[in-house]
Amino acid sequence: MEKKLLKAFQKVLFTPKKIIIIPHKNPDGDALGSSLALNTFLNKTGHDSCVIAPNEYPEFLNWMPGQEQIKKFSQTPDESTQMIENSDIIFTLDFNQLSRIDQMALVVERSIAEKIMIDHHEHPGDYASISYSDTNKGSTCEMIYELISGLDHDQIDVTIATCLYTGIMTDTGSFRFPSTTAKTHQVVSILIEKGAQPHLIHQKIYDTYSFSRLKLLGTALNNIKKINGIPVVYITLSQKELIINKFKKGDTEGFVNYGLSLRGVSLAVIMIENETEKIIKMSFRSKGSFDVNYFAKKYFNGGGHVNAAGGVSDLTLNETVDQFLKAIAYEKSQFNI
Ligand code: 5GP
Ligand code: MN
């Protein structure tokens, strides 16, 4: 990271501060890993820091070191609000628009605390007084590594290393997305030296399917559809199918990637019905030049990265499929076919 930016961090963290760290809603391995690693570092270096997540996180992350101390805004709104109001600094990690933290956004906007954004998504907002934004980085965890390493490298212990390794591994698709660089591997090598155990972390994240989750994957794969003439596949999951397969939060994580494992396919999409929130949640994954960040933003009120993005639709599942098919027909020149 730039020297000037590091100096700005050194300056705000020079004296002990009351700090709140916020990952995005429905936090993933990167959001949670970066928050927990930074939280451990800050508490070790004389600050009073706490992670408040907007809501629940999936079961496959509930082993991460320090996660048991995370507060959930959705469960304790009054206490969380008070903590945010009393804080000197608010870190927002792995997102760059306050809309990504739902009702917490109002509390954060209202607070007089210094706001710091650390994130790797496209099109950062300007709500923070310090923004460490780098869209070339594969994960926020790699950025937190840079920050901690710059501030006090010796503080990186097995807890910090494990949390950072988890986020780097999950956000780079286990080191296979184009965002994986030589630097990523250098960082990961140091994290392993500091005690992160790749095989155990991998097992904890990926080899913990419940029987019903694997059956749900079967349903999703059964529902996959190709679009004639363009290298696109899409998967739908209705609320009924989720219920039959005893859906739990996080169960559909990674399903969309199976579409991209098909030869010649360069865009895979999953559309999942959520009757409680009355939305269809969509995930987009691409290979090559098809820009899903642009696509999700333009058609489905979402965003993310060039090759991985998400969005939402307020229509029914069938209507969403129709809208998607129209949108993709309109954008098909992006596939260079
Ligand atoms: P996923 O498909 O795994 O939920 O998300 C893929 C990427 O897109 C992540 O980097 C995530 O932060 C981002 N993303 C997912 N859903 C949304 C959304 O509704 N809005 C925006 N702006 N980004 C999203
Ligand atoms: Mn991320």
Side-chain angles (χ1 to χ4, degrees):
M1 69 191 291
E2 281 173 27
K3 270 209 179 107
K4 209 173 125 201
L5 195 54
L6 182 60
K7 283 227 169 83
F9 279 106
Q10 282 164 334
K11 199 169 157 213
V12 288
L13 297 172
F14 188 68
T15 50
K17 296 277 163 55
K18 279 210 267 307
I19 299 174
I20 299 296
I21 302 173
I22 307 175
H24 58 74
K25 187 188 173 192
N26 299 324
D28 55 10
D30 189 32
L32 224 50
S34 55
S35 297
L36 290 171
L38 182 64
N39 189 50
T40 304
F41 173 79
L42 291 170
N43 281 319
K44 276 177 84 172
T45 51
H47 302 283
D48 175 4
S49 171
C50 180
V51 180
I52 306 182
N55 64 344
E56 289 291 329
Y57 43 87
E59 221 167 62
F60 66 81
L61 297 174
N62 72 8
W63 59 272
M64 291 186 73
Q67 58 83 27
E68 63 288 343
Q69 283 163 33
I70 296 177
K71 292 219 170 301
K72 284 141 211 151
F73 188 86
S74 55
Q75 287 176 2
T76 54
D78 295 343
E79 190 191 348
S80 302
T81 301
Q82 199 166 20
M83 286 171 73
I84 295 170
E85 280 169 356
N86 288 338
S87 65
D88 304 313
I89 301 176
I90 299 172
F91 278 91
T92 67
L93 300 193
D94 201 36
F95 65 96
N96 61 26
Q97 304 286 352
L98 290 181
S99 57
R100 297 277 284 139
I101 53 172
D102 280 1
Q103 298 97 317
M104 270 181 104
L106 277 177
V107 186
V108 171
E109 267 165 9
R110 223 172 39 211
S111 135
I112 53 163
E114 175 146 25
K115 283 135 207 153
I116 303 180
M117 173 213 299
I118 304 179
D119 179 62
H120 65 134
H121 294 90
E122 308 278 336
H123 310 305
D126 61 359
Y127 60 85
S129 57
I130 300 180
S131 290
Y132 177 21
S133 165
D134 187 348
T135 56
N136 291 317
K137 284 273 190 273
S139 60
T140 299
C141 277
E142 197 175 320
M143 300 171 73
I144 294 292
Y145 171 85
E146 298 284 333
L147 175 63
I148 295 180
S149 180
L151 290 171
D152 191 351
H153 187 88
D154 290 345
Q155 296 293 343
I156 301 175
D157 56 15
V158 61
T159 297
I160 293 174
T162 301
C163 293
L164 293 181
Y165 187 97
T166 304
I168 297 174
M169 180 189 79
T170 52
D171 254 34
T172 58
S174 299
F175 313 102
R176 73 183 195 280
F177 296 157
S179 55
T180 310
T181 61
K183 179 75 191 172
T184 312
H185 283 284
Q186 280 157 12
V187 169
V188 154
S189 145
I190 293 166
L191 297 178
I192 295 170
E193 277 168 9
K194 294 282 186 183
Q197 292 189 279
H199 69 291
L200 291 183
I201 295 173
H202 197 279
Q203 269 172 34
K204 283 181 173 154
I205 294 285
Y206 295 115
D207 300 339
T208 53
Y209 271 52
S210 62
F211 192 69
S212 54
R213 185 179 178 193
L214 202 62
K215 299 284 277 182
L216 181 64
L217 174 62
T219 305
L221 295 179
N222 219 18
N223 288 350
I224 196 163
K225 290 202 172 61
K226 286 198 280 190
I227 304 183
N228 267 347
I230 41 175
V232 180
V233 294
Y234 64 94
I235 294 171
T236 54
L237 277 174
S238 66
Q239 184 75 59
K240 204 169 150 201
E241 288 166 324
L242 296 174
I243 292 168
I244 291 170
N245 292 292
K246 303 188 186 73
F247 169 79
K248 283 215 299 285
K249 200 178 191 68
D251 276 358
T252 56
E253 193 83 27
F255 284 12
V256 63
N257 296 317
Y258 284 89
L260 272 195
S261 69
L262 282 161
R263 196 188 315 134
V265 163
S266 44
L267 171 65
V269 181
I270 191 164
M271 305 178 216
I272 303 169
E273 187 174 26
N274 181 334
E275 264 180 358
T276 325
E277 291 189 34
K278 301 222 174 318
I279 55 161
I280 309 296
K281 182 69 195 153
M282 309 178 75
S283 285
F284 306 94
R285 298 291 184 274
S286 70
K287 266 189 206 148
S289 59
F290 190 91
D291 183 348
V292 287
N293 171 52
Y294 162 84
F295 185 80
K297 210 175 174 147
K298 183 167 173 190
Y299 296 101
F300 295 106
N301 201 22
H305 312 278
V306 174
N307 295 123
V312 286
S313 157
D314 298 328
L315 304 171
T316 65
L317 189 53
N318 285 335
E319 288 165 351
T320 303
V321 170
D322 287 345
Q323 198 198 2
F324 166 69
L325 292 175
K326 276 189 202 134
I328 208 66
Y330 195 73
E331 299 292 341
K332 73 178 179 193
S333 63
Q334 272 209 60
F335 291 110
N336 306 320
I337 42 169

Short mmCIF file of all heavy atoms in Angstrom, two decimals, residues 24 28 94 100 120-121 171 253 256 281-285 300-305 308-312, ligand 1:
data_model
loop_
_atom_site.label_atom_id
_atom_site.label_comp_id
_atom_site.label_asym_id
_atom_site.label_seq_id
_atom_site.Cartn_x
_atom_site.Cartn_y
_atom_site.Cartn_z
N HIS A 24 -19.91 -6.54 5.40
CA HIS A 24 -21.19 -6.36 4.71
C HIS A 24 -22.24 -7.37 5.18
O HIS A 24 -21.92 -8.36 5.84
CB HIS A 24 -21.02 -6.42 3.19
CG HIS A 24 -20.40 -7.69 2.68
ND1 HIS A 24 -21.09 -8.88 2.62
CD2 HIS A 24 -19.16 -7.95 2.20
CE1 HIS A 24 -20.29 -9.82 2.12
NE2 HIS A 24 -19.11 -9.29 1.85
N ASP A 28 -19.33 -13.03 3.93
CA ASP A 28 -18.68 -14.23 3.40
C ASP A 28 -17.33 -14.40 4.10
O ASP A 28 -17.00 -13.67 5.05
CB ASP A 28 -18.54 -14.11 1.87
CG ASP A 28 -17.81 -12.85 1.46
OD1 ASP A 28 -17.25 -12.15 2.34
OD2 ASP A 28 -17.77 -12.55 0.25
N ASP A 94 -14.81 -4.82 3.13
CA ASP A 94 -15.29 -5.67 2.05
C ASP A 94 -16.59 -5.17 1.42
O ASP A 94 -17.34 -5.95 0.85
CB ASP A 94 -15.42 -7.13 2.53
CG ASP A 94 -15.42 -8.12 1.37
OD1 ASP A 94 -14.69 -7.87 0.38
OD2 ASP A 94 -16.14 -9.13 1.43
N ARG A 100 -25.01 -1.58 1.53
CA ARG A 100 -24.68 -3.00 1.73
C ARG A 100 -24.80 -3.44 3.19
O ARG A 100 -24.58 -4.60 3.50
CB ARG A 100 -23.27 -3.29 1.20
CG ARG A 100 -23.11 -3.06 -0.28
CD ARG A 100 -23.56 -4.24 -1.11
NE ARG A 100 -22.60 -5.31 -1.08
CZ ARG A 100 -22.89 -6.60 -0.98
NH1 ARG A 100 -24.14 -6.98 -0.89
NH2 ARG A 100 -21.96 -7.50 -0.95
N HIS A 120 -12.19 -3.95 -2.00
CA HIS A 120 -11.65 -4.23 -3.33
C HIS A 120 -12.71 -4.28 -4.42
O HIS A 120 -12.46 -4.82 -5.49
CB HIS A 120 -10.84 -5.54 -3.31
CG HIS A 120 -11.67 -6.76 -3.01
ND1 HIS A 120 -11.55 -7.92 -3.74
CD2 HIS A 120 -12.62 -7.01 -2.08
CE1 HIS A 120 -12.39 -8.83 -3.26
NE2 HIS A 120 -13.04 -8.30 -2.25
N HIS A 121 -13.91 -3.76 -4.14
CA HIS A 121 -14.97 -3.74 -5.17
C HIS A 121 -14.87 -2.49 -6.05
O HIS A 121 -14.26 -1.51 -5.67
CB HIS A 121 -16.35 -3.82 -4.52
CG HIS A 121 -16.60 -5.12 -3.82
ND1 HIS A 121 -16.28 -5.31 -2.50
CD2 HIS A 121 -17.09 -6.28 -4.28
CE1 HIS A 121 -16.59 -6.55 -2.16
NE2 HIS A 121 -17.07 -7.16 -3.23
N ASP A 171 -12.18 -15.88 -1.49
CA ASP A 171 -12.43 -14.85 -2.51
C ASP A 171 -11.65 -15.06 -3.81
O ASP A 171 -11.99 -14.48 -4.83
CB ASP A 171 -12.14 -13.45 -1.96
CG ASP A 171 -13.43 -12.69 -1.67
OD1 ASP A 171 -14.40 -13.34 -1.27
OD2 ASP A 171 -13.46 -11.45 -1.84
N GLU A 253 -24.17 -21.24 -1.34
CA GLU A 253 -22.87 -20.61 -1.58
C GLU A 253 -22.03 -21.50 -2.53
O GLU A 253 -21.87 -22.70 -2.28
CB GLU A 253 -22.15 -20.47 -0.23
CG GLU A 253 -20.95 -19.59 -0.22
CD GLU A 253 -21.28 -18.12 -0.06
OE1 GLU A 253 -22.33 -17.79 0.53
OE2 GLU A 253 -20.48 -17.30 -0.55
N VAL A 256 -23.23 -21.48 -7.99
CA VAL A 256 -23.16 -20.82 -9.30
C VAL A 256 -21.88 -21.22 -10.06
O VAL A 256 -21.87 -21.31 -11.29
CB VAL A 256 -23.28 -19.29 -9.16
CG1 VAL A 256 -22.14 -18.69 -8.35
CG2 VAL A 256 -23.36 -18.59 -10.50
N LYS A 281 -32.62 -13.36 -5.32
CA LYS A 281 -31.19 -13.01 -5.18
C LYS A 281 -30.43 -13.66 -6.33
O LYS A 281 -30.63 -14.83 -6.64
CB LYS A 281 -30.68 -13.51 -3.82
CG LYS A 281 -29.25 -13.17 -3.52
CD LYS A 281 -29.02 -11.69 -3.28
CE LYS A 281 -27.54 -11.34 -3.36
NZ LYS A 281 -27.22 -10.01 -3.74
N MET A 282 -29.61 -12.87 -6.97
CA MET A 282 -28.90 -13.38 -8.14
C MET A 282 -27.39 -13.31 -7.93
O MET A 282 -26.88 -12.38 -7.32
CB MET A 282 -29.26 -12.54 -9.37
CG MET A 282 -30.77 -12.40 -9.54
SD MET A 282 -31.20 -11.37 -10.92
CE MET A 282 -30.86 -12.46 -12.29
N SER A 283 -26.69 -14.32 -8.44
CA SER A 283 -25.23 -14.30 -8.45
C SER A 283 -24.75 -14.52 -9.87
O SER A 283 -25.30 -15.36 -10.59
CB SER A 283 -24.65 -15.41 -7.58
OG SER A 283 -24.78 -15.08 -6.23
N PHE A 284 -23.76 -13.76 -10.26
CA PHE A 284 -23.20 -13.83 -11.62
C PHE A 284 -21.71 -14.17 -11.53
O PHE A 284 -20.98 -13.57 -10.75
CB PHE A 284 -23.34 -12.48 -12.33
CG PHE A 284 -24.75 -11.94 -12.34
CD1 PHE A 284 -25.18 -11.06 -11.34
CD2 PHE A 284 -25.65 -12.31 -13.32
CE1 PHE A 284 -26.47 -10.57 -11.33
CE2 PHE A 284 -26.95 -11.82 -13.32
CZ PHE A 284 -27.36 -10.94 -12.32
N ARG A 285 -21.28 -15.11 -12.36
CA ARG A 285 -19.85 -15.44 -12.45
C ARG A 285 -19.48 -15.52 -13.92
O ARG A 285 -20.19 -16.15 -14.71
CB ARG A 285 -19.54 -16.79 -11.80
CG ARG A 285 -19.83 -16.87 -10.33
CD ARG A 285 -18.87 -16.02 -9.49
NE ARG A 285 -19.10 -16.19 -8.06
CZ ARG A 285 -20.00 -15.50 -7.36
NH1 ARG A 285 -20.76 -14.58 -7.92
NH2 ARG A 285 -20.14 -15.73 -6.07
N PHE A 300 -29.85 -5.39 -12.60
CA PHE A 300 -30.36 -6.02 -11.39
C PHE A 300 -29.91 -5.33 -10.11
O PHE A 300 -29.75 -5.98 -9.07
CB PHE A 300 -30.00 -7.52 -11.39
CG PHE A 300 -30.67 -8.27 -12.51
CD1 PHE A 300 -29.95 -8.68 -13.62
CD2 PHE A 300 -32.03 -8.53 -12.47
CE1 PHE A 300 -30.57 -9.34 -14.67
CE2 PHE A 300 -32.67 -9.20 -13.51
CZ PHE A 300 -31.93 -9.60 -14.62
N ASN A 301 -29.75 -4.02 -10.18
CA ASN A 301 -29.55 -3.22 -8.98
C ASN A 301 -28.43 -3.76 -8.08
O ASN A 301 -28.53 -3.74 -6.87
CB ASN A 301 -30.89 -3.21 -8.21
CG ASN A 301 -30.96 -2.06 -7.26
OD1 ASN A 301 -30.25 -1.06 -7.46
ND2 ASN A 301 -31.79 -2.17 -6.24
N GLY A 302 -27.38 -4.28 -8.70
CA GLY A 302 -26.32 -4.91 -7.92
C GLY A 302 -24.95 -4.40 -8.30
O GLY A 302 -24.78 -3.26 -8.71
N GLY A 303 -23.97 -5.27 -8.17
CA GLY A 303 -22.59 -4.89 -8.48
C GLY A 303 -21.62 -5.95 -7.98
O GLY A 303 -22.02 -7.06 -7.68
N GLY A 304 -20.36 -5.59 -7.89
CA GLY A 304 -19.33 -6.52 -7.44
C GLY A 304 -18.05 -6.32 -8.22
O GLY A 304 -17.54 -5.21 -8.25
N HIS A 305 -17.60 -7.36 -8.88
CA HIS A 305 -16.35 -7.31 -9.65
C HIS A 305 -16.63 -7.67 -11.10
O HIS A 305 -17.72 -8.11 -11.44
CB HIS A 305 -15.33 -8.30 -9.09
CG HIS A 305 -15.18 -8.24 -7.61
ND1 HIS A 305 -14.38 -7.32 -6.99
CD2 HIS A 305 -15.73 -8.98 -6.63
CE1 HIS A 305 -14.44 -7.50 -5.68
NE2 HIS A 305 -15.26 -8.51 -5.44
N ALA A 308 -17.22 -11.52 -10.90
CA ALA A 308 -18.12 -12.05 -9.84
C ALA A 308 -18.95 -10.91 -9.30
O ALA A 308 -18.41 -9.93 -8.80
CB ALA A 308 -17.32 -12.68 -8.71
N ALA A 309 -20.26 -11.05 -9.44
CA ALA A 309 -21.11 -9.97 -8.93
C ALA A 309 -22.45 -10.55 -8.48
O ALA A 309 -22.74 -11.73 -8.71
CB ALA A 309 -21.34 -8.92 -10.01
N GLY A 310 -23.23 -9.71 -7.82
CA GLY A 310 -24.55 -10.14 -7.37
C GLY A 310 -25.56 -9.05 -7.61
O GLY A 310 -25.20 -7.90 -7.89
N GLY A 311 -26.82 -9.40 -7.53
CA GLY A 311 -27.87 -8.41 -7.70
C GLY A 311 -29.18 -8.95 -7.17
O GLY A 311 -29.23 -10.07 -6.66
N VAL A 312 -30.24 -8.15 -7.29
CA VAL A 312 -31.56 -8.58 -6.83
C VAL A 312 -32.63 -8.22 -7.84
O VAL A 312 -32.45 -7.32 -8.66
CB VAL A 312 -31.96 -7.92 -5.47
CG1 VAL A 312 -31.20 -8.53 -4.33
CG2 VAL A 312 -31.79 -6.42 -5.51
P1 5GP B 1 -22.11 -13.37 -4.40
O1 5GP B 1 -22.64 -13.69 -5.74
O2 5GP B 1 -21.12 -14.39 -3.91
O3 5GP B 1 -23.18 -13.04 -3.41
O4 5GP B 1 -21.29 -12.02 -4.57
C1 5GP B 1 -20.31 -11.85 -5.56
C2 5GP B 1 -19.71 -10.46 -5.43
O5 5GP B 1 -20.69 -9.48 -5.73
C3 5GP B 1 -19.23 -10.15 -4.03
O6 5GP B 1 -18.05 -9.41 -4.15
C4 5GP B 1 -20.34 -9.34 -3.41
O7 5GP B 1 -19.86 -8.44 -2.48
C5 5GP B 1 -20.95 -8.64 -4.62
N1 5GP B 1 -22.41 -8.54 -4.48
C6 5GP B 1 -23.27 -9.57 -4.24
N2 5GP B 1 -24.54 -9.13 -4.19
C7 5GP B 1 -24.51 -7.80 -4.39
C8 5GP B 1 -25.50 -6.77 -4.44
O8 5GP B 1 -26.71 -7.01 -4.31
N3 5GP B 1 -25.05 -5.50 -4.68
C9 5GP B 1 -23.72 -5.21 -4.85
N4 5GP B 1 -23.37 -3.94 -5.07
N5 5GP B 1 -22.76 -6.15 -4.81
C10 5GP B 1 -23.13 -7.42 -4.58
#
